[in-house]
């Protein structure tokens, strides 16, 4: 065990000899002083791992010594020990960023527990996390190797996400490689599951299936709309479950989670398809068939999501919701500020739909900009960028306003994203779509196997633009690459975050209903 060096300041230090001997037997190195002034002098010349500071010392009090110690070496954790239970003393000590607060009389085990909590917390938590994951590893593997349904797949993905975040908090992340291997195996099995079931979900009305993109508003949003009571529906484009999980603790200070659910994004898992389906309540085939004036196909250069507001109105009318609603898409900082300034007017609506595009823009920027890729070289750093953006975003300010107004909010996304690493060669004509995770076109040439093919677009409820149109989706962590300039293309896109294909991360989507505290 590492030998930690401790300073203990108490005007009755001689009476604490048994405590000090107990800690020395446990391997701690203890310096003792009997005044606040001596404690400050010791700190000036010696580096300590933790300081125990009696509050009621003659001359310089513990609180006064604490202030000087924090100026000298603010990083050293200080434990305040006092006979007094007066609230203002506790407030002053906590305000000065103490590490712990103990009230006399104290026993040796209290001191030891405080030491472990401060000095060995990360190590002990890491050991427990690694042991717990090892115990759960077999359960997860058995689950995804069995014939399972969509609910069990959701549970598996939630478990893998939970362990990913837990292991990320450990000191040396020793189990991360094992977890990554398990995620690869899980995604391979999930691909088989989607190949076997996806088209049946769309074509068999009697089959038990998950909520899909086009059903979300009808089944998970509209039931919470009440006239005269504003509901906010916030769509954060391209947000994965792990990213939501790191944002939820921030919002838990303001909201109570009423339901923490998921739905499955349709294919392709791209904004053009899944988000239009989300707002319209229709699959892409029906949007293209019944609303050709609103649907922008792959053969046009127009923005594919310019008509979400119109699709939303169609969906409201179809569900006979004669309500006041608004729609806002936030792509830039000034648009976010405008929403905040307009907030009092939003409260007059029954439903306010807001789309925030930052996370999607961040994933594209990470592909195109070397600096962003260096800032977010891995999944953990990518989550950290999301966390930092949210803390300083107009969206967080909006959530605070929603809570203050006593309004409800539903948060979701349209699809997730997958970090891709393995190229997959594909050949097509110049009209084939450019997306790295799916291709739509005619005469597509590729090696069959590690893809999901929909040769009859009608079965996938997808539009076709000529008689031989087909769709092919990358699975697991593959991405499509053309033979031309193959090496350049592969090196440029390997280790980037992409969406459009089949993976747990892209298809299983969080949707959370929150009530204000």
């Amino acid at each position: 065990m590492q030998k930690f060096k401790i300073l203990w300041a108490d005007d009755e230090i001689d009476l604490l000899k048994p405590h000090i001997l107990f800690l020395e037997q446990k391997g701690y190195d203890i310096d003792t002083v009997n005044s606040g002034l001596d404690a400050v002098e010791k700190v000036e010349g010696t580096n300590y791992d933790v300081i125990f500071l009696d509050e009621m010392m003659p001359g310089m009090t513990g609180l006064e010594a604490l202030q000087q110690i924090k100026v000298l070496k603010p990083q050293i954790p200080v434990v305040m020990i006092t006979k007094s239970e007066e609230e203002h003393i506790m407030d002053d000590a906590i305000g000065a960023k103490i590490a712990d607060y103990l009230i006399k009389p104290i026993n040796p085990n209290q001191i030891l527990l405080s030491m472990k909590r401060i000095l060995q917390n990360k190590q002990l938590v890491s050991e427990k996390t690694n042991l717990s994951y090892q115990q759960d590893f077999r359960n997860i593997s058995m689950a995804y190797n069995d014939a399972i349904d969509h609910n069990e797949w959701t549970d598996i993905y939630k478990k893998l996400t939970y362990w990913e975040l837990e292991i990320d908090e450990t000191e040396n992340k020793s189990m991360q490689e094992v977890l990554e291997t398990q995620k690869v195996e899980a995604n391979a099995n999930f691909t088989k599951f989607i190949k076997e079931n996806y088209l049946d979900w769309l074509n068999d009305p009697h089959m038990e299936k998950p909520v899909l993109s086009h059903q979300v508003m009808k089944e998970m949003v509209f039931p919470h709309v009440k006239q005269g009571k504003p509901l906010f529906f916030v769509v954060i484009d391209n947000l994965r479950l792990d990213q939501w999980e790191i944002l939820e603790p921030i919002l838990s200070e303001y909201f109570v989670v009423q339901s923490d659910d998921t739905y499955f994004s349709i294919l392709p898992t791209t904004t053009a398809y899944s988000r239009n389906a989300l707002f319209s309540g229709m699959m892409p085939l029906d949007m293209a068939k019944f609303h050709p004036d609103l649907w922008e196909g792959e053969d046009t250069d127009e923005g594919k999501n310019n008509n979400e507001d119109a699709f939303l109105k169609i969906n409201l009318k179809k569900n006979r919701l004669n309500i006041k609603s608004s729609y806002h898409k936030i792509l830039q900082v000034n648009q976010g500020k405008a929403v905040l300034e307009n907030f009092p007017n939003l409260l007059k609506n029954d439903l306010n739909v807001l789309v925030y595009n930052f996370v999607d823009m961040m994933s594209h920027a990470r592909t195109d900009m070397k600096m962003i890729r260096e800032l977010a070289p891995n999944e953990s750093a990518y989550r950290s960028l999301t966390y930092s953006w949210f803390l300083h975003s107009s969206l967080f300010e909006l959530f605070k306003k929603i809570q203050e107004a006593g309004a409800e909010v539903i948060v979701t996304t349209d699809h997730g994203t997958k970090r891709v690493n393995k190229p997959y060669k594909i050949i097509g004509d110049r009209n084939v779509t450019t997306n790295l995770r799916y291709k739509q076109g005619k005469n597509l040439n590729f090696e069959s196997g590690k893809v999901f093919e929909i040769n009859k677009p009608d079965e996938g409820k997808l539009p076709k633009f000529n008689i031989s149109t087909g769709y092919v989706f990358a699975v697991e962590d593959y991405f499509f690459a053309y033979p031309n300039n193959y090496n350049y293309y592969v090196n440029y896109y390997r280790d980037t975050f992409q969406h459009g294909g089949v993976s747990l991360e892209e298809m299983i989507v969080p949707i959370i209903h929150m009530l204000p505290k």
Side-chain angles (χ1 to χ4, degrees):
M1 186 181 83
Q2 179 185 347
K3 189 117 176 167
F4 293 108
K5 193 166 182 65
I6 316 301
L7 174 64
W8 197 331
D10 194 304
D11 60 318
E12 297 177 330
I13 198 71
D14 291 340
L15 300 177
L16 296 169
K17 207 70 175 167
H19 296 60
I20 291 161
L21 286 171
F22 174 78
L23 290 174
E24 287 176 341
Q25 288 168 1
K26 292 288 183 182
Y28 297 102
D29 184 7
I30 316 289
D31 282 351
T32 61
V33 293
N34 54 18
S35 75
L37 188 60
D38 289 344
V40 173
E41 287 179 359
K42 277 280 192 182
V43 170
E44 283 180 324
T46 310
N47 289 319
Y48 293 100
D49 294 297
V50 69
I51 299 167
F52 287 97
L53 202 56
D54 183 37
E55 194 274 319
M56 298 286 285
M57 290 184 287
M60 183 184 286
T61 68
L63 283 172
E64 290 168 342
L66 173 64
Q67 289 174 352
Q68 294 200 28
I69 288 168
K70 284 295 180 184
V71 170
L72 289 169
K73 294 182 180 175
Q75 77 283 1
I76 300 178
V78 177
V79 177
M80 185 66 74
I81 302 173
T82 179
K83 290 177 183 174
S84 172
E85 295 187 46
E86 290 185 39
E87 191 175 350
H88 75 90
I89 293 176
M90 293 185 194
D91 289 347
D92 288 345
I94 293 167
K97 299 183 180 177
I98 58 163
D100 205 352
Y101 193 96
L102 302 176
I103 296 179
K104 292 182 178 181
I106 53 173
N107 63 56
N109 280 321
Q110 271 181 290
I111 296 290
L112 184 62
L113 181 61
S114 184
M115 299 278 286
K116 283 184 177 289
R117 190 161 51 231
I118 295 166
L119 298 175
Q120 294 171 265
N121 181 61
K122 275 198 168 182
Q123 176 198 335
L124 295 171
V125 168
S126 295
E127 289 171 1
K128 179 65 177 173
T129 297
N130 290 341
L131 180 61
S132 297
Y133 171 61
Q134 287 169 30
Q135 292 169 342
D136 206 21
F137 176 90
R138 186 168 175 270
N139 297 330
I140 297 171
S141 295
M142 286 175 63
Y144 63 63
N145 280 305
D146 291 341
I148 55 180
D149 65 15
H150 63 88
N151 289 314
E152 290 168 300
W153 269 114
T154 298
D155 290 340
I156 287 168
Y157 180 42
K158 284 183 174 180
K159 269 194 176 183
L160 288 169
T161 300
Y162 169 80
W163 285 120
E164 182 171 11
L165 297 178
E166 290 292 301
I167 290 168
D168 195 32
E169 292 295 316
T170 59
E171 281 190 297
N172 55 18
K173 299 176 174 55
S174 59
M175 295 304 294
Q176 193 165 44
E177 196 172 326
V178 177
L179 176 70
E180 286 301 321
T181 302
Q182 188 165 52
K183 282 171 63 182
V184 168
E185 290 177 1
N187 261 312
N189 283 273
F190 181 70
T191 295
K192 293 176 189 173
F193 170 74
I194 291 299
K195 285 181 177 180
E196 290 168 7
N197 293 280
Y198 182 74
L199 293 179
D200 289 335
W201 290 346
L202 301 180
N203 295 285
D204 183 353
H206 305 294
M207 186 179 185
E208 207 275 324
K209 66 197 76 170
V211 174
L212 298 169
S213 303
H214 65 298
Q215 301 163 324
V216 167
M217 296 206 75
K218 181 179 180 179
E219 297 195 19
M220 307 180 89
V221 179
F222 292 158
H224 300 289
V225 174
K226 305 176 188 75
Q227 283 196 330
K229 192 173 181 183
L231 173 70
F232 288 80
F233 183 49
V234 177
V235 179
I236 307 173
D237 187 15
N238 207 6
L239 187 80
R240 295 196 315 201
L241 180 63
D242 61 326
Q243 291 169 301
W244 163 252
E245 293 291 349
I246 64 164
L247 300 184
E248 186 174 7
I250 306 172
L251 290 172
S252 65
E253 293 184 31
Y254 304 89
F255 295 91
V256 175
V257 173
Q258 181 76 358
S259 63
D260 188 348
D261 293 321
T262 57
Y263 75 89
F264 275 55
S265 172
I266 63 162
L267 295 171
T269 48
T270 64
T271 303
Y273 288 85
S274 58
R275 200 162 80 208
N276 276 328
L278 179 73
F279 288 128
S280 69
M282 292 178 275
M283 288 293 287
L285 177 61
D286 291 331
M287 284 185 271
K289 183 177 179 181
F290 297 113
H291 301 281
D293 55 321
L294 299 178
W295 173 259
E296 297 293 346
E298 301 284 0
D299 54 345
T300 73
D301 294 326
E302 299 297 319
K304 304 297 189 286
N305 287 78
N306 289 342
N307 299 314
E308 290 169 355
D309 192 8
F311 276 131
L312 174 63
K313 286 174 182 171
I314 291 167
N315 201 359
L316 287 167
K317 187 176 180 181
K318 184 172 64 176
N319 285 277
R320 298 176 183 174
L321 282 171
N322 185 22
I323 59 172
K324 289 183 68 177
S325 66
S326 74
Y327 169 88
H328 297 271
K329 187 184 291 185
I330 294 87
L331 303 170
Q332 299 168 351
V333 171
N334 63 331
Q335 292 171 323
K337 288 179 179 176
V339 166
L340 295 177
E341 290 168 4
N342 189 45
F343 185 76
N345 291 323
L346 298 184
L347 293 176
K348 299 171 186 174
N349 298 321
D350 304 307
L351 175 65
N352 295 292
V353 175
L354 301 109
V355 177
Y356 283 79
N357 264 54
F358 176 81
V359 178
D360 185 58
M361 289 189 287
M362 182 176 70
S363 70
H364 289 297
R366 188 186 177 277
T367 300
D368 299 332
M369 296 172 65
K370 185 179 179 183
M371 183 186 74
I372 302 294
R373 198 179 292 202
E374 288 179 358
L375 277 174
N378 52 40
E379 305 272 10
S380 176
Y382 187 64
R383 284 191 294 271
S384 183
L385 270 187
T386 308
Y387 182 88
S388 179
W389 158 74
F390 183 75
L391 271 184
H392 305 284
S393 69
S394 64
L395 176 56
F396 186 27
E397 294 304 313
L398 176 70
F399 276 118
K400 291 177 187 175
K401 284 183 176 290
I402 293 171
Q403 186 265 339
E404 287 170 7
E408 297 181 24
V409 61
I410 295 173
V411 187
T412 192
T413 184
D414 45 2
H415 56 75
T417 189
K418 181 68 181 170
R419 189 178 177 197
V420 297
N421 283 295
K422 298 175 193 151
Y424 202 88
K425 283 186 182 177
I426 191 165
I427 301 170
D429 63 30
R430 60 190 178 88
N431 295 317
V432 170
T433 50
T434 57
N435 188 285
L436 273 71
R437 291 282 288 169
Y438 86 95
K439 297 294 179 187
Q440 180 258 85
K442 59 181 181 179
N443 304 321
L444 294 171
N445 194 327
F446 53 89
E447 184 182 342
S448 192
K450 289 282 186 183
V451 293
F452 176 39
E453 301 171 56
I454 298 182
N455 295 316
K456 298 177 180 176
D458 285 3
E459 291 183 355
K461 308 301 179 189
L462 295 165
K464 60 181 179 182
F465 304 100
N466 56 62
I467 197 76
S468 57
T469 290
Y471 289 77
V472 58
F473 302 92
V475 302
E476 303 169 36
D477 62 344
Y478 287 90
F479 64 98
F480 291 125
Y482 297 112
N484 301 349
N485 297 322
Y486 181 78
N487 290 330
Y488 169 80
Y489 194 85
V490 167
N491 289 331
Y492 189 83
Y493 286 109
R494 178 180 274 134
D495 189 32
T496 62
F497 289 93
Q498 303 293 335
H499 53 272
V502 177
S503 68
L504 289 162
E505 293 88 343
E506 287 162 291
M507 290 191 74
I508 300 183
V509 175
I511 181 165
I512 298 89
H513 177 208
M514 300 189 297
L515 305 179
K517 281 189 173 179

